[in-house]
Amino acid sequence: MQLGTGASVVRGAARNARVRPLRTPACAECLRAATLDVRIPPSRALFHAGRPRPSAWAAAVSVAGNIVSNAVTRATKGDMPSVDPLRIVAKEMKFLTGNIRKLLGSGHPSLDRAAKYYTQAEGKHVRPLIVLLMSRATSLCPKAPQRQQATFQASAAIDTSISPPSILSDFNPSAIPESEPAYTDVDILPSQRRLAEITELIHTASLLHDDVIDHSVSRRGSPSANLEFGNKMAVLAGDFLLGRASVALARLRHAEVVELLATVIANLVEGEFMQLKNTARDEANPQWSEETLTYYLQKTYLKTASLISKSCRASALLGGSDAQTVDAAYLYGKNLGLAFQLVDDMLDYTRSEKDLGKPAGADLELGLATAPLLFAWKTMPELGSLVGRKFGNDGDVARARDLVMQSNGIEQTRALAANYAEKAIEAISSFPDSEAKDGLIEMAVKTLKRQN
Ligand code: FPP
Ligand code: MG
């Protein structure tokens, strides 16, 4: 990368990134809160405890509301040329969909078709792309000698079963024939490539289930699987994907990575439950409170950032990285995941169905109060009664939408997303300079610029 290009300017910003200066003087509590971890200690999770607690996240939100222009916002304005993250791992990405389909074969033709259905349309493949970039970027980072054995085992036999095949009884007509050499690269290990495929499998499984829950009619510009096959088969296809993802995970022969990715599946379900059910207080008597925002951000971590953060961590573990690198990879993924979902929730208000490839404005129709509305609600108490009845009366959706558009909820959401994107870049600032690191930085910038 040449000095003076936009990417290197952003990279320079990443090296120097600190908590941003504020328009108004920052209170110490806000700054402390902005650095806190979103993971929920079980005893303190809002959905377990009825008792309100001081909200670290709401303080982080007020920090975000005040951030001034910075490297990320400059880059999103388009005055910086950028690297193309996809090009950096293009060879691996080229084989991704084919490899995933090889993991999904079933002797039953209907299941085979349903399981592979969402692999037909070109998805964005954001998660595997991040895992591959992280694998390449961390290949240059310091190693932990005690992890070398696990690293070697994880890459040795990713297509070899642990139990005898006769016991497994899991015929896969699409499996890679023994003689077919898999594509390998020097700095991305076979186990890391397989991890990228596993993240896409888990994500796709969650979409198959999500589309049933959301009564979706379209996905990636085509009819959704629930419409094409019916709810029962769509749910079962999702379960099949999870089963095959679990098999592939076990064959990495790396217990810590298995624990991380298995926890992601539990987190996804818990996040979806949190989304289905508001806090007890909001169900009974909706009033804006910091607890509402905290709950939303916890839900967002579980639903979206958990998969990205834990797969980034797993990628560093599979590469044999030292503890500092493993933690940095996790923090990058966590902050990027939060930024990604905030932008998603913003686009639901600002983009058309044509742009998104799925119905726009779906969140309010589904009764969901996401970041733009939660920010608006703070200054527009009228939104409380609409939240309480999940926008269920005639005219509620249009009224809520109007109020959000009159408020600064969209700008606040964008600012919070930018704050997380900055933190993602800061997390990897100690990584050695490389094209892959530039790609990770660019992913954070692109997350804010994306239109669908
Ligand atoms: C998309 O959300 C959905 C998710 C990010 C996760 C959904 C998780 C589940 C349904 C739990 C079950 C999980 C597994 C692994 C089976 P969205 O509705 O906001 O996005 P969309 O507009 O793309 O549908
Ligand atoms: Mg959905």
Side-chain angles (χ1 to χ4, degrees):
M1 185 59 48
Q2 298 298 307
L3 271 181
T5 63
S8 63
V9 173
V10 176
R11 197 174 61 208
R15 262 191 235 111
N16 300 326
R18 294 283 178 274
V19 176
R20 297 289 116 192
L22 307 176
R23 261 192 212 129
T24 52
C27 76
E29 192 199 343
C30 290
L31 286 174
R32 200 173 48 250
T35 63
L36 289 180
D37 200 324
V38 72
R39 284 170 294 184
I40 315 166
S43 60
R44 296 174 66 197
L46 280 170
F47 53 90
H48 293 304
R51 183 174 54 86
R53 65 183 180 85
S55 161
W57 281 107
V61 167
S62 73
V63 170
N66 288 324
I67 60 171
V68 296
S69 157
N70 52 43
V72 170
T73 35
R74 278 208 323 280
T76 54
K77 282 186 186 142
D79 53 359
M80 291 181 179
S82 57
V83 292
D84 177 4
L86 198 52
R87 186 187 56 73
I88 298 165
V89 287
K91 274 191 237 151
E92 291 79 4
M93 290 297 285
K94 190 174 147 206
F95 290 95
L96 180 87
T97 301
N99 287 344
I100 287 175
R101 290 173 70 85
K102 285 175 188 158
L103 294 172
L104 287 180
S106 165
H108 195 296
S110 301
L111 178 56
D112 194 78
R113 207 165 80 77
K116 291 172 182 168
Y117 183 65
Y118 278 159
T119 67
Q120 284 166 15
E122 267 317 302
K124 292 185 287 242
H125 298 146
V126 173
R127 291 150 189 85
L129 177 56
I130 293 169
V131 167
L132 292 169
L133 288 168
M134 185 59 76
S135 302
R136 184 156 279 162
T138 52
S139 71
L140 302 167
C141 292
K143 304 291 167 211
Q146 72 276 17
R147 291 218 177 92
Q148 294 307 308
Q149 178 64 14
T151 305
F152 173 75
Q153 280 176 350
S155 274
I158 58 171
D159 289 312
T160 308
S161 68
I162 301 168
S163 305
S166 59
I167 299 291
L168 291 176
S169 297
D170 184 30
F171 174 60
N172 177 358
S174 310
I176 306 171
E178 287 290 328
S179 55
E180 191 181 311
Y183 170 77
T184 51
D185 202 344
V186 279
D187 53 358
I188 299 181
L189 301 168
S191 58
Q192 292 171 315
R193 216 188 48 237
R194 179 54 50 83
L195 174 70
E197 293 155 14
I198 291 167
T199 61
E200 188 63 13
L201 281 178
I202 295 175
H203 172 61
T204 309
S206 79
L207 294 183
L208 283 159
H209 286 193
D210 180 70
D211 284 343
V212 171
I213 294 168
D214 290 352
H215 309 287
S216 302
V217 293
S218 62
R219 166 79 59 193
R220 295 172 181 167
S222 298
S224 54
N226 45 310
L227 213 69
E228 188 75 10
F229 305 102
N231 282 351
K232 290 180 187 174
M233 281 201 245
V235 169
L236 289 170
D239 294 342
F240 186 69
L241 261 65
L242 285 182
R244 285 287 169 81
S246 305
V247 170
L249 194 54
R251 289 179 186 166
L252 295 180
R253 295 160 165 86
H254 195 301
E256 197 173 343
V257 169
V258 173
E259 180 183 59
L260 282 168
L261 273 293
T263 306
V264 167
I265 298 174
N267 287 167
L268 281 166
V269 176
E270 208 155 28
E272 192 68 17
F273 254 84
M274 286 180 81
Q275 180 165 290
L276 285 174
K277 193 102 179 78
N278 281 335
T279 57
R281 183 184 150 145
D282 281 347
E283 295 285 337
N285 177 25
Q287 279 169 5
W288 189 93
S289 74
E290 292 193 347
E291 192 185 315
T292 317
L293 281 168
T294 304
Y295 186 89
Y296 164 81
L297 287 165
Q298 288 175 345
K299 183 268 301 173
T300 301
Y301 171 78
L302 294 169
K303 188 184 139 178
T304 307
S306 172
L307 177 53
I308 301 176
S309 59
K310 292 190 177 83
S311 58
C312 281
R313 188 177 180 89
S315 149
L317 282 169
L318 289 171
S321 295
D322 69 354
Q324 196 193 337
T325 306
V326 168
D327 284 345
Y330 172 78
L331 271 183
Y332 170 87
K334 183 188 94 176
N335 286 297
L336 187 76
L338 292 169
F340 187 86
Q341 187 60 46
L342 283 162
V343 171
D344 216 63
D345 291 346
M346 188 182 79
L347 291 175
D348 200 61
Y349 281 89
T350 58
R351 303 303 295 178
S352 68
E353 174 162 355
K354 190 163 165 284
D355 293 329
L356 294 174
K358 60 187 180 186
D363 289 341
L364 285 175
E365 298 283 356
L366 289 166
L368 302 179
T370 60
L373 185 132
L374 297 180
F375 281 120
W377 185 8
K378 189 174 181 182
T379 53
M380 296 172 161
E382 172 187 352
L383 280 164
S385 49
L386 280 72
V387 171
R389 53 180 189 254
K390 295 201 160 79
F391 317 103
N393 287 3
D394 279 354
D396 278 0
V397 167
R399 179 76 188 132
R401 198 183 151 73
D402 279 354
L403 290 172
V404 170
M405 297 320 257
Q406 284 165 32
S407 77
N408 67 356
I410 301 286
E411 289 72 31
Q412 292 257 77
T413 304
R414 199 195 312 272
L416 184 57
N419 193 23
Y420 284 125
E422 285 259 324
K423 284 191 198 157
I425 293 173
E426 165 65 7
I428 56 167
S429 58
S430 66
F431 285 11
D433 288 349
S434 70
E435 238 193 351
K437 178 181 169 181
D438 286 344
L440 288 170
I441 292 169
E442 184 59 20
M443 287 302 289
V445 173
K446 269 181 184 288
T447 292
L448 301 177
K449 283 198 279 191
R450 76 191 175 95
Q451 300 294 331
N452 61 28

